[in-house]
Structures are given as C-alpha cells and as structure tokens.
C-alpha cells in the first residue's frame, strides 16, 4: 500500500494534508493540480482512507473501510468519470452523483467524491458543482484532480484548497521505481521517458520500450533524402501508434540534448546505437535544430497535416545533419 511519505517529493503540502485528515481538520473541497502520473489520484485515495479509517494509526490499510477504499468498493466513496461515448462529465451525471452524496453515509462517516478527470466537466456541470461547493453537504469532501486547471471555472478553483503536484527529479523517480521492484536499468529508462512522473513511468509498456529502440534506429539511420520514404512508409499506416511515435521521438531528442550538454549520457537509456552515435558526433546546435523540427512537426499534426508529411520533415532534417556531422 502506498503511503503519504511516498509523495512528499511531488508536493510541499503532503505532510500538512496528512495531518489535516488524521485530525479530521480537512476542508470540504481540494483541487489537486499537476501533470499526469504525479500521484494526485493516489494521494486523494490516501486522504479518503485516512478520513474513513477505524484503525489507531491512520490510514492503517487493514481495517474494513481502508480495504474497501483500496478495492474501490467503499459505498461512501464516489468516483465521477466521463461518459464513455461523450467523453465528458455532463450535468446529468453530476447531478446524480451529488444526489448520491446528499444521502446519509452508509458507514456513518465522511462521504467522498473523487473527480479524477475534473477538466472533463462541461461548463453546465461545473456550474452545477459550483452551487454544491457554495453550500456543501455536511460531512462531504470533494477531490478535483486535473492536469489542466485552466479548464476549470475560476469560481470553482476559488472554492477549493489548491495542492500543486510536480514531477520528481530523475534521481528521486528512479529511487521510487526501484522501491516498487523495478531493476536499476528499467527504473532509469522509465524515469527518463516519463520525465519524473512515476505514475506515467509505471504505465509504460513493453511496446513503448521496444519502439524506443526501433524508432531511433530507423530515424538516425537516415543519411540522405533517399532514405526518408522507407522510414515514413514504415510508420504512416500504423494510425494507432502515430501519437506514440511522436511522443517517443520527442523524448529521444530531449535526452539527446541532455547528453550533448554533458549532463547525462545516452548509453543505457534504451535507445538504438544509431541514436547514441548521433549524440556523440553532433554538437548541441544540431540537437537544438532537430528539437525545433520535432516541435514544428507537432504543430503540423495539430493543424491536421498528415502524419507522413510531419514525420518526413523531421527525417529530412536528420539527413541534413548527417551531411554536416557524419555519425
């Protein structure tokens, strides 16, 4: 079971949050804001466990309420999620959830409402929630979690205690992942890929790790314009992975820049030898130019330019750099 201590690096307010819930001195609404994978959901669940725990040391993790919160079956803990088809939290969904917490607690304790994707609330749903936050039901605590706090109405934010979560440093993330049972090499690769967001690091699957190597082998094997079409053709038809391809490429270029600056070597991070050769042979000015082209490719995709065209611009930049630096 995770503990509050595991998340103290993510937010400076975790110790105070823990103390408030242990003493029953918590407020009625919290907004946990920060990148995905920084522990917002885990900390909200720990708070719920602490508020409902019947053990001497809270949260004990072994009493009935703690076990039910961990299992997601506690009748007084309600999770509000987007509708599957609309992918939004509409006003009808919210009204039903609020009506549910307005009834008496099943276990004569606190009632908890969790919003893991608070930014998915429609404006109508947010206005509905706002009325509830202005006059909250007794014994109810709301946890709004989001990586897009700007998507929430300022009036919603103003009625919550805001707790900001941040990624861990590379070293902290690696240590946390090793504590969770990962090998040192795997922890290092995942921490770098997820930029210190432990939750994201744990969600990385073997397909992503394999793509990290094969994609960088393909990209940094481009030595001339003639090599570009074959690489583009290899990835353009796999529509399900196109976003992932660009994510992995962006991560690789970022790590190459770190290696070029001398801060951390690329070796051992799971990339292909071709990428490692690029990082050793090309100075930072080349890496910055490539990074700029990847950013431009992202913008192209955002403007509905075909994936093949966006990837092609990156590969052409690689071929230009090979003509300059030869790796």
């Amino acid at each position: 079971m995770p503990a509050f201590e595991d998340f103290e690096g993510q937010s400076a307010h975790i110790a105070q949050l823990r103390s408030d819930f242990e003493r029953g001195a918590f407020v009625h609404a919290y907004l946990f804001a920060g990148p995905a994978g920084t522990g917002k959901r885990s900390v909200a669940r720990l708070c719920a466990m602490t508020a409902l725990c019947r053990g001497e040391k809270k949260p004990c993790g072994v009493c009935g309420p703690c076990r039910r919160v961990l299992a997601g079956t506690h009748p007084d803990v309600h999770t509000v999620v987007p509708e599957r088809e609309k992918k939004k939290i509409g006003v009808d969904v919210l009204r039903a959830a609020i009506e549910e917490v307005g009834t008496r607690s099943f276990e004569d304790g606190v009632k908890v409402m969790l919003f893991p994707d608070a930014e998915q609330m429609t404006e109508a749903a947010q206005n509905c929630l706002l009325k509830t936050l202005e006059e909250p039901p007794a014994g109810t605590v709301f946890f709004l979690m989001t990586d897009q706090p700007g998507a929430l109405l300022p009036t919603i934010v103003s009625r919550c205690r805001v707790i900001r979560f941040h990624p861990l440093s590379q070293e902290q993330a690696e240590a946390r992942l090793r504590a969770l049972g990962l090998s040192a090499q795997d922890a290092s690769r995942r921490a770098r890929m997820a930029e210190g967001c432990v939750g994201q690091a744990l969600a990385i699957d073997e397909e992503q790790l394999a793509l990290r190597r094969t994609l960088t082998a393909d990209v940094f094997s481009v030595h001339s314009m003639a090599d570009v079409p074959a690489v583009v053709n290899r990835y353009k038809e796999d529509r399900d992975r196109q976003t992932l391809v660009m994510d992995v490429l962006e991560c690789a270029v970022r790590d190459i820049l770190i290696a070029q600056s001398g801060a951390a070597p690329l070796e051992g991070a799971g990339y292909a030898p071709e990428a490692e050769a690029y990082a050793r042979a090309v100075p930072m000015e080349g890496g910055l130019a490539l990074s700029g082209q990847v950013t431009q490719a992202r913008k192209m995709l955002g403007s509905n330019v075909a994936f093949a065209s966006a990837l092609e611009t990156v590969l052409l930049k690689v071929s230009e750099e090979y003509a300059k630096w030869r790796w």
Side-chain angles (χ1 to χ4, degrees), residues 70-145:
L70 282 171
T73 58
H74 198 293
D76 292 326
V77 178
H78 305 271
T79 302
V80 183
V81 297
E83 297 175 81
R84 184 173 298 178
E85 292 182 1
K86 297 180 181 178
K87 297 183 179 179
K88 288 287 184 180
I89 299 172
V91 67
D92 291 339
V93 171
L94 195 62
R95 282 174 179 157
I98 290 172
E99 184 177 342
E100 187 73 26
V101 297
T103 60
R104 182 178 175 179
S105 167
F106 282 87
E107 298 193 1
D108 294 323
V110 175
K111 302 198 79 169
V112 180
M113 283 193 74
L114 304 174
F115 293 77
D117 304 290
E119 74 282 353
Q120 297 299 328
M121 283 189 288
T122 64
E123 185 173 348
Q126 291 191 50
N127 280 315
C128 178
L129 177 62
L130 179 60
K131 294 176 183 177
T132 303
L133 294 182
E134 288 172 342
E135 298 180 15
T140 302
V141 58
F142 297 80
F143 290 97
L144 280 64
M145 294 155 267

Side-chain angles (χ1 to χ4, degrees), residues 174 178 182-191 209 267-270:
E174 286 185 33
R178 289 198 302 272
L182 276 66
S183 68
Q185 183 181 40
D186 198 19
S188 176
R189 286 188 301 173
R190 289 171 180 267
L209 293 173
E267 285 77 9

Side-chain angles (χ1 to χ4, degrees), residues 176-317:
R176 176 69 183 135
L177 291 169
R178 289 198 302 272
L180 292 171
L182 276 66
S183 68
Q185 183 181 40
D186 198 19
S188 176
R189 286 188 301 173
R190 289 171 180 267
R192 290 175 73 166
M193 288 179 73
E195 299 184 71
C197 298
V198 172
Q200 289 188 42
L202 292 170
I204 294 169
D205 58 22
E206 291 302 318
E207 178 187 13
Q208 289 173 266
L209 293 173
L211 181 62
R212 188 180 179 92
R213 190 173 186 88
T214 57
L215 178 63
T216 52
D218 288 336
V219 168
F220 294 102
S221 292
V222 171
H223 293 166
S224 70
M225 293 177 61
D227 297 329
V228 171
V231 177
V232 170
N233 289 336
R234 204 164 294 152
Y235 293 97
K236 72 176 184 179
E237 299 301 333
D238 195 350
R239 295 183 181 277
D240 293 338
R241 292 206 306 171
Q242 287 176 358
T243 299
L244 179 59
V245 165
M246 201 58 70
D247 288 344
V248 171
L249 186 54
E250 190 171 53
C251 181
V253 174
R254 183 202 69 216
D255 283 350
I256 285 169
L257 283 170
I258 292 172
Q260 289 171 331
S261 73
L266 200 65
E267 285 77 9
Y271 294 111
E274 291 84 354
E276 295 172 0
Y278 173 93
R280 288 192 299 268
V282 178
M284 184 172 279
E285 65 179 274
L288 287 169
L290 181 58
S291 177
Q293 191 57 61
V294 172
T295 299
Q296 182 60 34
R298 282 279 200 195
K299 291 179 180 178
M300 292 170 68
L301 292 175
S303 300
N304 294 320
V305 173
F307 173 80
S309 298
L311 180 59
E312 185 178 86
T313 65
V314 175
L315 299 176
L316 288 172
K317 175 58 72 175

